[in-house]
Amino acid sequence: MAFGNEPIGDDDSPPMAEINMTPLVDVMLVLLIVFMITIPVMQHAVKVDLPQASSQRNDVKPESINLSIAANGQVFWNSSPIDMNTLSIYAQTAAKKSPQPEVQLKADKNVRYESVAQVLSTAKRSGLTKIGFVTEPN
């Protein structure tokens, strides 16, 4: 690009150190105007009255059944002594509830394993599926 009276083929002149900013400014102004016009059009929406609803779930916490076995093999349903037949009836009734209650089994450390196995077997046959063992921390 030659300015003024300089010949076109003159290689003795120093290179130009300036950049012409006018075309860049023109392009930026055109882009600014285009964006200013198109942005409000893209955000056009239909006004609708939406119903209000709560987003919190109503969780029903299942009840907890304390099933204890004493050292002599006596079974307790929520601190009430019961026999194996009554345990079966109570467990069947509890298994039909929705949500099914959680059974927390507490067995004395000196109880025979046979007693614990009988209680677990009765609970399983009755349909109880949420059975947990409660222990003492050291």
Side-chain angles (χ1 to χ4, degrees), residues 5 11-13 23 44 48 59 63 67 98 103 106 113 135:
N5 296 336
D11 290 335
D12 295 337
S13 63
H44 180 68
V48 177
D59 288 336
E63 67 179 82
L67 193 58
S98 179
V103 177
K106 299 176 185 178
Y113 181 72
T135 60

Side-chain angles (χ1 to χ4, degrees), residues 57-136:
R57 288 180 24 184
N58 292 335
D59 288 336
V60 178
K61 293 187 178 182
E63 67 179 82
S64 175
I65 298 170
N66 292 321
L67 193 58
S68 304
I69 306 172
N72 61 1
Q74 177 65 46
V75 180
F76 294 89
W77 181 278
N78 288 336
S79 302
S80 301
I82 57 172
D83 60 356
M84 286 305 217
N85 293 332
T86 310
L87 172 63
S88 177
I89 294 168
Y90 283 5
Q92 287 174 0
T93 305
K96 293 177 184 174
K97 293 182 180 178
S98 179
Q100 195 176 83
E102 297 175 359
V103 177
Q104 297 177 352
L105 181 61
K106 299 176 185 178
D108 191 274
K109 67 179 179 179
N110 297 322
V111 72
R112 293 177 45 104
Y113 181 72
E114 179 184 9
S115 300
V116 176
Q118 286 177 346
V119 169
L120 286 175
S121 175
T122 303
K124 179 73 173 168
R125 270 186 279 133
S126 300
L128 290 174
T129 57
K130 298 179 180 179
I131 302 173
F133 291 93
V134 180
T135 60
E136 293 279 330

Side-chain angles (χ1 to χ4, degrees), residues 8-29:
I8 294 176
D10 188 16
D11 290 335
D12 295 337
S13 63
M16 270 183 52
E18 297 178 15
I19 297 176
N20 190 0
M21 296 294 290
T22 306
L24 181 63
V25 171
D26 289 345
V27 169
M28 295 303 292
L29 286 174

